[in-house]
Every structure is written in structure tokens, then in C-alpha cells.
Amino acid sequence: MEEEIEVKISIPKTLYEKLVKEAEDTGFKDIREFIIYVLEQLVETSDFEGEVMSKEDEEKVKERLRALGYID
Amino acid sequence: MVRPHGGRLVNRVVSEKRRNALLEEAKELPQIEITYERLIDVMDIAHGVFSPLEGFMNQEDYIHVLYDMRLANDLPWTIPIILDVDPVEIDGVKEGDDIVLRYNEKPIAIMKVEEIYGWDKKEYARQVYKTTDPNHPGVAKTYNRKELLIGGIIDLLNEIRHPLENRILWPIETRVLFREKKWKTIVAFQTRNVPHRGHEYVQKAALTFADGLLIHPLIGWKKPGDYRDDVIFAAYETLIKYYYPKDVVVLAGLLMNMNYAGPREAIHHAIVRKNFGATHFIVGRDHAGVGDYYGPYEAWEIFEEFPDLGITPLFIRESFYCQKCGGMVNEKICPHEDEYRIRISGTKLRKMIMERKIPPEYMMRPEVAETILKFKDPFVH
Ligand SMILES: [Zn+2]
């Protein structure tokens, strides 16, 4: 597990409540886990010509293409 | 690279992180068992084949597609993607609820039920198939569907294994692949058949003006007498090996339902290929037709109604061998009389293969015929 630091930020109350609700609806353990997930997605994901994916996703795609002999 | 239909490639496959939590949650939700064809729709939606659709259609999109051949936001779309259910199956389910779509008892996807609505199957047949004749295979399937429709976004939890899964690529995969190959123009070819010389001619005519060719066999339900999917792949592999330059062809399977909706389906096939990253699409004469329900050029004419499709259709005439020209030609480039023209008939070819004969070379490459005949039984029963 990567080292973590504690940050204290204020966000609008209604946004917080929405996030809590969304975290519950999507089955996350707690709000903290959900916010980390959302931020990770934002940082890692790029929208390239309409293809929204993370570096990791792209690597997985290339791995499969290699395994199936489509690329060297 | 051409942008997906609607601008963004849809991905409704849940991430590893969310998957376990959602699977746990799914146990508590109402369950609906879906057919194999709806399972294929779910996979196509989740993997962006049907971008911009993120789920099964709500009534507004359904009605627009039925009568205007466009989604409610005016984007071209010609075949409704709908989920049919029996009233008893959704007893107690309200709009706004989440449900689980199951196949063979296995949870496949979570669906947010946005709308429950009725439909008129006969009207569906009239609009989509231009006939209400139950002998039309698409119409027959429509009449067998259930009484209510539910619309809503889906999230895919589990993939289903397929015997040819290693032959199937999804849109994100062909897009990454085309980028790796540095192809800018890609022409897609739809097929459900083993290749004869006419197919090869059409593909090569198109390839002359494009960077790459995507040979895209449709994998799915077949009728008795059709060539088996694995036979089609093997036949194409042989053709590519002996008769295509290296690195200009990608052969990949497309897991998608076939409707036999003729002209409407030709548009649908083009839109789907755009999502796979193709810039051009070869539209056959009587594309996706069946029997004599559609005129031979209807599937070409319909494209005039869609100048905003975002993929260029290529209408290449039926080819034949001309003894005077001394090669494969078509109506547009050969001036000779009918007596010099030898047409390749799929029916005749099938008969020869059934009798385990090698067809003449002007019909089929001998290597391809040998590959097909290596299979004890190349046909579906
Ligand atoms: Zn001629």
C-alpha cells in the first residue's frame, strides 16, 4: 500500500452529500475510497479522439493484441 | 482516427474495483433471465459497438428510430436496440429501480430501469422490415418477443465465454490496432461467407484507395446450410496468406445479431464499423437482405438520406469473370456481352463444396477451397 498523507479541504455541503449518496449507490465501502477512485480516474484517463481510457487500459489492450498476434 | 458515433466511445464494463461490490449488491436485486441474442446486445452496448448507446432504448429514442431512423438527438440510428420482458418478470419493479440481467443463471449486467413501456410489434415490423410477413426471419423473431420493453443504462459485470473469443476484437482494440499500424483510411467489409473471387475483387478494389482493410465477419446465429464461423475464419486466413500483401489486412470477428433488415441494416452496419475505427464501408448489393423483400439497390439508395453518417459507403458493383476482359471485372468497367461473362453463384459454390469438389479457379482460389474441404463438415445444421 502506497504511503498516504492527510489533506484537509472544504467542499460544498451539497456536493459532499451527493458524493456520499453516489458512493452508496455504486457500492463503495466509504466516501474516502470513492473520492480516491474518482480522482484517480480523472488523472489517469485521457480522452483521445473520443476514446476514454487510462494508460493501464491501453496497455491491457496492446497486451491482448500482442497475444493474439495482431501486433509484434 | 474517425471519432466514434456521437463523439465518444462508450465503455460500460465495470472496473475491477467496482465489480466485486456490485456483484455483492446484485444478489439483492430483482433478476431477469435474458436470451442469447439480448446477451449479445448487452456485450455490444458495454463494449461501445453501439456507441453512443449506453443501455437499452427508452421510448423516446425507440419512437424516433422507428419513424425517423434517428435517435432523439438527431443522430442517425436505424435499428432499435430494445429489451423485451414479460409483465410477470418485472412484477414489482418500478422505474428508477436497479435490476440484474442474467444469462444461464449468471449475473451479466446491472440495469437501471429508466422506463417501462409497451410496443406494437406489427408496426415495428412494418417500419424496420418493411413487411409484416411472418415468413421474414426478422419479422418472425419480432413476433416472438415479449410484450413490454424496458429502457435504461447497463453496467457489464461478467463477460461470457465464446468458442471463438480469440477471434473477436472490440472497438477499442481495433482502434488501438489501427493507430499502431498508422492507418488513416480503413475500409471495412462485412461478411457471413467464405471468400470467393468476387469478394476478393471487391475488397481489393476498395483497398487500392485505402491504407488498410478490415475483414469483419459477423459471428452469431446462423441458419442451417450456412458456413460455420471457424470455417469462414480459416478460409480467410488462407486467402490473406497467399493473396494479400503483408500488413494491409486485419481479420477480426464481430459478435453482433443479424436482423436481415436490408437497407436499414446496411446503415446500422456502417455506423457500427465507424465505432470500430473504419472510415469506409463496403455496401453490398441487397446488403443484409433476405428473399425478395428488398430491391437490389435499396441498400445503396438509403445512404442518400444520411449525409451526416460520418463513414463513407462504397458501392461496388457485383463482379464477374469476363472471358474477353480476361479477369474479374464489373458492370461499370466491362463492355462485353453477357455470353462472355461468368457469374459466381454462392449457391453453385456451396453445392460443389458439399460434393467435396474443388471449384474452378475463377470462382474460388484453390488454396481456399482446400482449406474449406479440410473440414469434415463445413456447414451449420
Ligand atoms: Zn469484359
Side-chain angles (χ1 to χ4, degrees), chain B residues 52-72:
Chain B
L53 303 189
E54 296 186 298
F56 288 99
M57 286 179 180
N58 287 321
Q59 191 168 24
E60 200 191 5
D61 273 336
Y62 170 67
I63 293 292
H64 271 89
V65 169
L66 205 59
Y67 293 103
D68 304 337
M69 300 196 280
R70 286 173 183 271
L71 297 170

Side-chain angles (χ1 to χ4, degrees), chain B residues 107-156:
Chain B
I108 300 299
I110 291 190
M111 176 176 184
K112 188 169 263 322
V113 179
E114 286 159 23
E115 205 176 357
I116 304 171
Y117 58 103
W119 64 315
D120 180 342
K121 296 183 202 173
K122 206 160 185 176
E123 185 61 10
Y124 179 105
R126 193 175 294 126
Q127 296 299 328
V128 174
Y129 297 108
K130 297 177 132 193
T131 173
T132 53
D133 179 0
N135 292 314
H136 182 298
V139 174
K141 272 189 193 172
T142 303
Y143 290 170
N144 277 327
R145 292 179 74 170
K146 297 167 180 174
E147 300 313 311
L148 289 177
L149 300 180
I150 50 178
I153 288 182
I154 57 125
D155 280 295
L156 188 77

